[in-house]
CSV table of all heavy atoms in Angstrom, one decimal:
chain,number,residue,atom,x,y,z
A,1,VAL,N,-51.6,-64.1,51.5
A,1,VAL,CA,-52.3,-63.3,52.5
A,1,VAL,C,-53.7,-63.9,52.6
A,1,VAL,O,-54.5,-64.0,51.6
A,1,VAL,CB,-52.5,-61.8,52.0
A,1,VAL,CG1,-53.4,-61.0,53.0
A,1,VAL,CG2,-51.1,-61.1,51.9
A,2,LEU,N,-54.0,-64.4,53.8
A,2,LEU,CA,-55.2,-65.1,54.0
A,2,LEU,C,-56.2,-64.2,54.7
A,2,LEU,O,-55.9,-63.4,55.6
A,2,LEU,CB,-55.0,-66.4,54.9
A,2,LEU,CG,-56.2,-67.1,55.5
A,2,LEU,CD1,-56.9,-67.8,54.4
A,2,LEU,CD2,-55.7,-68.0,56.6
A,3,LEU,N,-57.5,-64.3,54.3
A,3,LEU,CA,-58.5,-63.5,55.0
A,3,LEU,C,-59.7,-64.3,55.3
A,3,LEU,O,-60.2,-65.2,54.6
A,3,LEU,CB,-59.0,-62.4,54.0
A,3,LEU,CG,-57.9,-61.4,53.6
A,3,LEU,CD1,-57.5,-61.7,52.2
A,3,LEU,CD2,-58.4,-59.9,53.7
A,4,GLU,N,-60.2,-64.1,56.6
A,4,GLU,CA,-61.5,-64.8,57.0
A,4,GLU,C,-62.6,-63.8,56.8
A,4,GLU,O,-62.7,-62.8,57.4
A,4,GLU,CB,-61.4,-65.1,58.5
A,4,GLU,CG,-62.6,-65.8,59.0
A,4,GLU,CD,-62.6,-66.1,60.5
A,4,GLU,OE1,-62.3,-65.2,61.2
A,4,GLU,OE2,-62.9,-67.3,60.8
A,5,VAL,N,-63.4,-64.1,55.8
A,5,VAL,CA,-64.6,-63.3,55.5
A,5,VAL,C,-65.7,-63.6,56.6
A,5,VAL,O,-66.3,-62.6,57.1
A,5,VAL,CB,-65.2,-63.7,54.1
A,5,VAL,CG1,-66.4,-62.9,53.8
A,5,VAL,CG2,-64.1,-63.4,53.0
A,6,ASP,N,-65.9,-64.9,56.8
A,6,ASP,CA,-66.7,-65.3,58.0
A,6,ASP,C,-66.3,-66.7,58.3
A,6,ASP,O,-65.5,-67.3,57.5
A,6,ASP,CB,-68.2,-65.1,57.7
A,6,ASP,CG,-68.7,-65.9,56.5
A,6,ASP,OD1,-68.3,-67.1,56.4
A,6,ASP,OD2,-69.5,-65.4,55.7
A,7,PRO,N,-66.8,-67.4,59.3
A,7,PRO,CA,-66.4,-68.7,59.6
A,7,PRO,C,-66.6,-69.8,58.5
A,7,PRO,O,-66.1,-70.9,58.6
A,7,PRO,CB,-67.2,-69.1,60.9
A,7,PRO,CG,-67.5,-67.7,61.5
A,7,PRO,CD,-67.7,-66.8,60.4
A,8,LYS,N,-67.4,-69.4,57.5
A,8,LYS,CA,-67.6,-70.4,56.4
A,8,LYS,C,-67.2,-69.8,55.1
A,8,LYS,O,-67.7,-70.2,54.0
A,8,LYS,CB,-69.1,-70.7,56.4
A,8,LYS,CG,-69.6,-71.5,57.5
A,8,LYS,CD,-71.0,-72.0,57.4
A,8,LYS,CE,-71.5,-72.9,58.5
A,8,LYS,NZ,-72.9,-73.3,58.4
A,9,CYS,N,-66.3,-68.8,55.1
A,9,CYS,CA,-65.8,-68.2,53.9
A,9,CYS,C,-64.4,-67.7,54.1
A,9,CYS,O,-64.2,-66.8,54.9
A,9,CYS,CB,-66.8,-67.1,53.5
A,9,CYS,SG,-66.3,-66.3,51.9
A,10,TYR,N,-63.5,-68.2,53.3
A,10,TYR,CA,-62.1,-67.8,53.4
A,10,TYR,C,-61.5,-67.5,52.0
A,10,TYR,O,-61.9,-68.2,51.0
A,10,TYR,CB,-61.2,-68.9,54.0
A,10,TYR,CG,-61.6,-69.2,55.5
A,10,TYR,CD1,-62.6,-70.1,55.8
A,10,TYR,CD2,-60.9,-68.5,56.5
A,10,TYR,CE1,-62.9,-70.3,57.1
A,10,TYR,CE2,-61.2,-68.8,57.8
A,10,TYR,CZ,-62.2,-69.7,58.1
A,10,TYR,OH,-62.6,-69.9,59.4
A,11,VAL,N,-60.7,-66.5,51.9
A,11,VAL,CA,-60.0,-66.2,50.6
A,11,VAL,C,-58.5,-66.0,50.9
A,11,VAL,O,-58.1,-65.7,52.0
A,11,VAL,CB,-60.6,-65.0,49.9
A,11,VAL,CG1,-62.0,-65.3,49.5
A,11,VAL,CG2,-60.5,-63.7,50.7
A,12,ALA,N,-57.7,-66.2,49.9
A,12,ALA,CA,-56.3,-65.9,50.0
A,12,ALA,C,-55.7,-65.3,48.7
A,12,ALA,O,-56.1,-65.8,47.6
A,12,ALA,CB,-55.5,-67.2,50.3
A,13,ILE,N,-54.9,-64.3,48.8
A,13,ILE,CA,-54.3,-63.6,47.6
A,13,ILE,C,-53.0,-64.2,47.3
A,13,ILE,O,-52.1,-64.4,48.2
A,13,ILE,CB,-54.2,-62.1,47.9
A,13,ILE,CG1,-55.6,-61.5,48.3
A,13,ILE,CG2,-53.7,-61.4,46.6
A,13,ILE,CD1,-55.5,-60.1,48.6
A,14,HIS,N,-52.7,-64.5,46.1
A,14,HIS,CA,-51.5,-65.1,45.6
A,14,HIS,C,-51.2,-64.7,44.2
A,14,HIS,O,-52.0,-63.9,43.6
A,14,HIS,CB,-51.5,-66.6,45.8
A,14,HIS,CG,-50.1,-67.2,46.1
A,14,HIS,ND1,-48.9,-66.6,45.8
A,14,HIS,CD2,-49.7,-68.4,46.7
A,14,HIS,CE1,-47.9,-67.3,46.1
A,14,HIS,NE2,-48.4,-68.4,46.7
A,15,GLU,N,-50.2,-65.3,43.6
A,15,GLU,CA,-50.0,-65.1,42.1
A,15,GLU,C,-49.4,-66.4,41.5
A,15,GLU,O,-49.0,-67.3,42.2
A,15,GLU,CB,-49.0,-63.9,41.9
A,15,GLU,CG,-47.6,-64.2,42.3
A,15,GLU,CD,-46.6,-63.1,42.0
A,15,GLU,OE1,-46.9,-62.2,41.1
A,15,GLU,OE2,-45.5,-63.1,42.5
A,16,ALA,N,-49.4,-66.4,40.2
A,16,ALA,CA,-48.9,-67.6,39.5
A,16,ALA,C,-48.4,-67.2,38.1
A,16,ALA,O,-48.7,-66.1,37.6
A,16,ALA,CB,-50.0,-68.7,39.3
A,17,ASP,N,-47.4,-68.0,37.6
A,17,ASP,CA,-46.8,-67.8,36.3
A,17,ASP,C,-46.2,-66.4,36.2
A,17,ASP,O,-46.4,-65.6,35.3
A,17,ASP,CB,-47.9,-68.0,35.2
A,17,ASP,CG,-47.3,-68.1,33.8
A,17,ASP,OD1,-46.0,-68.4,33.8
A,17,ASP,OD2,-48.0,-68.0,32.8
A,18,LEU,N,-45.3,-66.1,37.2
A,18,LEU,CA,-44.5,-64.8,37.1
A,18,LEU,C,-43.4,-65.0,36.1
A,18,LEU,O,-42.5,-65.8,36.3
A,18,LEU,CB,-44.0,-64.5,38.5
A,18,LEU,CG,-43.1,-63.3,38.7
A,18,LEU,CD1,-43.8,-62.0,38.3
A,18,LEU,CD2,-42.5,-63.3,40.1
A,19,ARG,N,-43.4,-64.2,35.1
A,19,ARG,CA,-42.3,-64.3,34.0
A,19,ARG,C,-41.4,-63.1,34.0
A,19,ARG,O,-40.3,-63.2,33.5
A,19,ARG,CB,-43.0,-64.5,32.7
A,19,ARG,CG,-44.0,-65.6,32.6
A,19,ARG,CD,-44.6,-65.9,31.3
A,19,ARG,NE,-45.7,-66.8,31.3
A,19,ARG,CZ,-46.2,-67.4,30.2
A,19,ARG,NH1,-45.7,-67.1,29.0
A,19,ARG,NH2,-47.2,-68.2,30.3
A,20,ALA,N,-41.8,-62.0,34.5
A,20,ALA,CA,-41.0,-60.8,34.5
A,20,ALA,C,-41.4,-59.9,35.7
A,20,ALA,O,-42.6,-59.9,36.1
A,20,ALA,CB,-41.2,-60.0,33.2
A,21,GLY,N,-40.5,-59.1,36.2
A,21,GLY,CA,-40.7,-58.2,37.3
A,21,GLY,C,-40.5,-58.9,38.6
A,21,GLY,O,-40.0,-60.0,38.7
A,22,ASN,N,-41.0,-58.2,39.7
A,22,ASN,CA,-40.7,-58.7,41.0
A,22,ASN,C,-41.9,-59.5,41.5
A,22,ASN,O,-43.0,-59.4,41.1
A,22,ASN,CB,-40.6,-57.5,42.0
A,22,ASN,CG,-39.4,-56.6,41.6
A,22,ASN,OD1,-38.3,-57.1,41.2
A,22,ASN,ND2,-39.5,-55.3,41.7
A,23,PRO,N,-41.6,-60.4,42.5
A,23,PRO,CA,-42.7,-61.2,43.1
A,23,PRO,C,-43.7,-60.2,43.8
A,23,PRO,O,-43.5,-59.1,44.1
A,23,PRO,CB,-42.0,-62.0,44.2
A,23,PRO,CG,-40.6,-62.1,43.8
A,23,PRO,CD,-40.3,-60.8,43.0
A,24,LEU,N,-45.0,-60.8,43.9
A,24,LEU,CA,-46.1,-60.0,44.3
A,24,LEU,C,-45.9,-59.4,45.8
A,24,LEU,O,-45.5,-60.2,46.7
A,24,LEU,CB,-47.4,-60.8,44.3
A,24,LEU,CG,-48.7,-60.2,44.8
A,24,LEU,CD1,-49.0,-59.0,43.9
A,24,LEU,CD2,-49.8,-61.2,44.8
A,25,ARG,N,-46.1,-58.1,45.9
A,25,ARG,CA,-46.1,-57.5,47.2
A,25,ARG,C,-47.4,-56.6,47.3
A,25,ARG,O,-47.6,-55.9,46.3
A,25,ARG,CB,-44.8,-56.7,47.5
A,25,ARG,CG,-43.6,-57.5,47.8
A,25,ARG,CD,-42.3,-56.7,47.5
A,25,ARG,NE,-42.2,-55.5,48.3
A,25,ARG,CZ,-41.6,-55.4,49.5
A,25,ARG,NH1,-41.0,-56.5,50.0
A,25,ARG,NH2,-41.5,-54.3,50.1
A,26,LEU,N,-48.1,-56.6,48.4
A,26,LEU,CA,-49.3,-55.9,48.5
A,26,LEU,C,-49.1,-54.8,49.5
A,26,LEU,O,-48.5,-55.0,50.6
A,26,LEU,CB,-50.4,-56.9,49.0
A,26,LEU,CG,-50.7,-58.0,48.1
A,26,LEU,CD1,-51.6,-59.1,48.8
A,26,LEU,CD2,-51.4,-57.6,46.8
A,27,ILE,N,-49.7,-53.6,49.3
A,27,ILE,CA,-49.6,-52.5,50.1
A,27,ILE,C,-50.9,-52.0,50.5
A,27,ILE,O,-51.9,-52.0,49.8
A,27,ILE,CB,-48.7,-51.4,49.4
A,27,ILE,CG1,-48.5,-50.2,50.4
A,27,ILE,CG2,-49.4,-50.9,48.2
A,27,ILE,CD1,-47.4,-49.2,49.9
A,28,SER,N,-51.0,-51.6,51.8
A,28,SER,CA,-52.3,-51.1,52.3
A,28,SER,C,-52.0,-49.9,53.3
A,28,SER,O,-51.0,-49.9,54.0
A,28,SER,CB,-53.1,-52.2,53.1
A,28,SER,OG,-54.3,-51.7,53.6
A,29,GLY,N,-52.9,-49.0,53.3
A,29,GLY,CA,-52.8,-47.8,54.3
A,29,GLY,C,-53.7,-48.0,55.4
A,29,GLY,O,-54.8,-48.6,55.3
A,30,LYS,N,-53.3,-47.5,56.6
A,30,LYS,CA,-54.1,-47.6,57.8
A,30,LYS,C,-55.5,-47.0,57.5
A,30,LYS,O,-55.6,-45.9,57.0
A,30,LYS,CB,-53.5,-47.0,59.0
A,30,LYS,CG,-54.1,-47.3,60.3
A,30,LYS,CD,-53.2,-46.8,61.4
A,30,LYS,CE,-53.8,-47.2,62.8
A,30,LYS,NZ,-53.9,-48.7,63.0
A,31,GLY,N,-56.5,-47.7,57.9
A,31,GLY,CA,-57.9,-47.3,57.7
A,31,GLY,C,-58.5,-47.8,56.4
A,31,GLY,O,-59.8,-47.8,56.3
A,32,ASP,N,-57.7,-48.4,55.5
A,32,ASP,CA,-58.2,-49.0,54.3
A,32,ASP,C,-58.8,-50.4,54.6
A,32,ASP,O,-58.4,-51.0,55.6
A,32,ASP,CB,-57.2,-49.0,53.2
A,32,ASP,CG,-56.7,-47.7,52.7
A,32,ASP,OD1,-57.5,-46.7,53.0
A,32,ASP,OD2,-55.7,-47.6,52.1
A,33,GLN,N,-59.6,-50.9,53.6
A,33,GLN,CA,-60.0,-52.3,53.6
A,33,GLN,C,-59.6,-52.9,52.3
A,33,GLN,O,-60.3,-53.7,51.7
A,33,GLN,CB,-61.5,-52.4,53.8
A,33,GLN,CG,-62.0,-51.9,55.1
A,33,GLN,CD,-63.5,-51.9,55.3
A,33,GLN,OE1,-64.1,-51.6,56.3
A,33,GLN,NE2,-64.2,-52.4,54.2
A,34,SER,N,-58.4,-52.5,51.8
A,34,SER,CA,-58.0,-52.9,50.5
A,34,SER,C,-56.5,-53.1,50.4
A,34,SER,O,-55.7,-52.6,51.3
A,34,SER,CB,-58.4,-51.9,49.4
A,34,SER,OG,-57.8,-50.6,49.7
A,35,PHE,N,-56.1,-53.8,49.4
A,35,PHE,CA,-54.7,-54.0,49.0
A,35,PHE,C,-54.5,-53.5,47.6
A,35,PHE,O,-55.3,-53.8,46.7
A,35,PHE,CB,-54.2,-55.4,49.1
A,35,PHE,CG,-54.0,-55.9,50.5
A,35,PHE,CD1,-54.9,-56.9,51.0
A,35,PHE,CD2,-53.0,-55.5,51.3
A,35,PHE,CE1,-54.7,-57.4,52.3
A,35,PHE,CE2,-52.8,-56.0,52.6
A,35,PHE,CZ,-53.7,-57.0,53.0
A,36,MET,N,-53.4,-52.7,47.4
A,36,MET,CA,-53.0,-52.4,46.0
A,36,MET,C,-51.6,-53.2,45.8
A,36,MET,O,-50.9,-53.5,46.7
A,36,MET,CB,-52.8,-50.9,45.9
A,36,MET,CG,-54.0,-50.1,46.2
A,36,MET,SD,-55.4,-50.4,45.1
A,36,MET,CE,-54.8,-49.9,43.5
A,37,ILE,N,-51.3,-53.4,44.5
A,37,ILE,CA,-50.1,-54.0,44.2
A,37,ILE,C,-48.9,-53.0,44.2
A,37,ILE,O,-49.0,-52.0,43.5
A,37,ILE,CB,-50.2,-54.8,42.8
A,37,ILE,CG1,-51.2,-55.9,43.0
A,37,ILE,CG2,-48.8,-55.2,42.3
A,37,ILE,CD1,-51.4,-56.7,41.7
A,38,GLU,N,-47.9,-53.3,45.0
A,38,GLU,CA,-46.7,-52.5,45.0
A,38,GLU,C,-45.9,-52.9,43.8
A,38,GLU,O,-45.4,-54.0,43.7
A,38,GLU,CB,-45.9,-52.6,46.2
A,38,GLU,CG,-44.8,-51.7,46.3
A,38,GLU,CD,-43.7,-52.1,47.3
A,38,GLU,OE1,-43.2,-53.3,47.2
A,38,GLU,OE2,-43.2,-51.3,48.1
A,39,SER,N,-45.8,-52.0,42.8
A,39,SER,CA,-45.1,-52.4,41.6
A,39,SER,C,-44.0,-51.5,41.2
A,39,SER,O,-44.0,-50.3,41.7
A,39,SER,CB,-46.1,-52.6,40.4
A,39,SER,OG,-46.8,-51.3,40.2
A,40,SER,N,-43.1,-51.9,40.3
A,40,SER,CA,-42.0,-51.1,39.8
A,40,SER,C,-42.0,-51.3,38.3
A,40,SER,O,-42.6,-52.2,37.8
A,40,SER,CB,-40.7,-51.5,40.5
A,40,SER,OG,-40.5,-52.9,40.3
A,41,PRO,N,-41.2,-50.4,37.6
A,41,PRO,CA,-41.2,-50.5,36.2
A,41,PRO,C,-40.8,-51.9,35.7
A,41,PRO,O,-39.9,-52.5,36.3
A,41,PRO,CB,-40.1,-49.5,35.8
A,41,PRO,CG,-40.2,-48.5,36.9
A,41,PRO,CD,-40.5,-49.3,38.1
A,42,VAL,N,-41.4,-52.4,34.7
A,42,VAL,CA,-41.1,-53.7,34.1
A,42,VAL,C,-41.4,-53.8,32.7
A,42,VAL,O,-42.3,-53.1,32.2
A,42,VAL,CB,-41.9,-54.8,34.9
A,42,VAL,CG1,-43.4,-54.6,34.7
A,42,VAL,CG2,-41.6,-56.2,34.4
């Protein structure tokens, strides 16, 4: 997930070294400015 903060600032959300559980999925509700991790028991 890539985000443009401004024309001279970019960030991207990712993950590394996944050993257990599901690959990363991010969830957001309309009106929010955030992501939470959608997770399940692991």
Side-chain angles (χ1 to χ4, degrees):
V1 176
L2 170 70
L3 298 104
E4 182 184 47
V5 177
D6 62 42
K8 294 186 178 180
C9 182
Y10 296 87
V11 295
I13 305 175
H14 210 337
E15 70 175 345
D17 195 15
L18 174 64
R19 307 184 188 192
N22 298 321
L24 179 63
R25 285 161 59 96
L26 301 166
I27 186 167
S28 180
K30 193 170 182 63
D32 293 342
Q33 295 178 180
S34 62
F35 285 111
M36 302 299 294
I37 290 179
E38 186 200 50
S39 57
S40 56
V42 62

